[in-house]
Amino acid sequence: KNIVILISGRGSNMEALIAARDAGNLPVNIAAVISNRPDALGLETAAKAGIATHYIDHKAFAGREAFDAALAECIDGFSPDLVVLAGFMRILSEGFVRHYEGRLMNIHPSLLPSFPGLHTHQRALEEGVRIHGCTVHFVTPTLDHGPVIIQAAVPVLDGDSEASLAARILVQEHKIYPQAVRWFAEDKLTLDKGRVRLAAEL
Ligand code: GRF
């Protein structure tokens, strides 16, 4: 399966996917890594791994739709079976999401539907929750609210800072994202009335 990964920054989830592929645990071809930020550190990491990289500077476009159209054109040049949002910090237009629906995944640093949106670890600490985590989901036009594929939970410990909590969750992100992409690559994910069904071991 051909995948294209979209990033905006460090790209640690992208690195985890590259590492899973290199370890022979992820039967995919990472056709390209694309960023909306020319200075995204992950572009360098991807290039060093021999993966095609592109950036499309969202500031160069009049509106969201124009940027999304240019982004989709760049993505489609790689004929992806799956588009993976990994630390991609742009809200995507409905047209873009519809174009990739069913083959567009995102990872969100909370146990959705709790804490959609930004600053999830700070909000979790402020709310005093005892369990927090991360979610991989299919992307739908409703922000951070698509069918859940896999989640991981971590305890919130006394004295946790936003940084210590984020670091504990990032370890889990790097486990669940390769797992979600592997299930997709192995055709084990089906959508049934808006819910993800994991094909039983055939
Ligand atoms: C991570 O917390 C991820 O959950 C969120 O963006 C943050 C950075 O991701 N989507 P990455 O290190 O750029 O993959």
Side-chain angles (χ1 to χ4, degrees):
K1 290 260 194 307
N2 244 9
I3 72 169
V4 168
I5 303 175
L6 302 190
I7 63 168
S8 294
R10 147 194 65 185
S12 74
N13 278 287
M14 171 203 68
E15 286 177 293
L17 291 166
I18 295 172
R21 177 204 62 178
D22 293 350
N25 295 332
L26 191 53
V28 297
N29 168 48
I30 302 175
V33 170
I34 302 171
S35 179
N36 62 303
R37 301 263 311 265
D39 58 348
L41 276 181
L43 289 174
E44 221 174 289
T45 314
K48 286 197 186 105
I51 297 168
T53 60
H54 284 265
Y55 72 84
I56 303 181
D57 191 341
H58 63 270
K59 292 196 289 294
F61 292 84
R64 185 175 302 282
E65 276 67 18
F67 168 75
D68 285 8
L71 180 61
E73 190 179 345
C74 180
I75 292 169
D76 289 346
F78 295 97
S79 317
D81 298 296
L82 177 66
V83 179
V84 173
L85 304 180
F88 188 67
M89 303 309 276
R90 289 272 305 175
I91 294 177
L92 293 160
S93 61
E94 177 158 356
F96 182 98
V97 171
R98 293 272 182 237
H99 180 62
Y100 293 108
E101 198 145 14
R103 56 183 177 124
L104 178 62
M105 282 185 191
N106 182 48
I107 189 159
H108 181 77
S110 79
L111 291 174
L112 290 174
S114 295
F115 308 118
L118 297 174
H119 313 302
T120 61
H121 308 311
Q122 180 188 324
R123 290 157 61 199
L125 290 170
E126 284 164 3
E127 290 293 333
V129 297
R130 293 284 182 254
I131 300 289
H132 189 34
C134 48
T135 304
V136 178
H137 61 95
F138 282 114
V139 176
T140 62
T142 311
L143 181 68
D144 295 337
H145 202 80
V148 171
I149 298 167
I150 183 170
Q151 296 185 303
V154 303
V156 179
L157 303 176
D158 282 349
D160 256 334
S161 63
E162 190 179 345
S164 61
L165 185 51
R168 188 171 311 121
I169 288 183
L170 209 53
V171 169
Q172 298 304 318
E173 291 184 32
H174 298 164
K175 290 178 184 164
I176 65 172
Y177 222 163
Q179 178 62 75
V181 175
R182 183 178 312 120
W183 281 336
F184 186 94
E186 292 167 348
D187 296 314
K188 289 186 173 168
L189 294 174
T190 57
L191 270 173
D192 173 21
K193 295 191 281 298
R195 299 282 185 282
V196 174
R197 298 280 305 284
L198 187 57
E201 295 308 326
L202 299 177

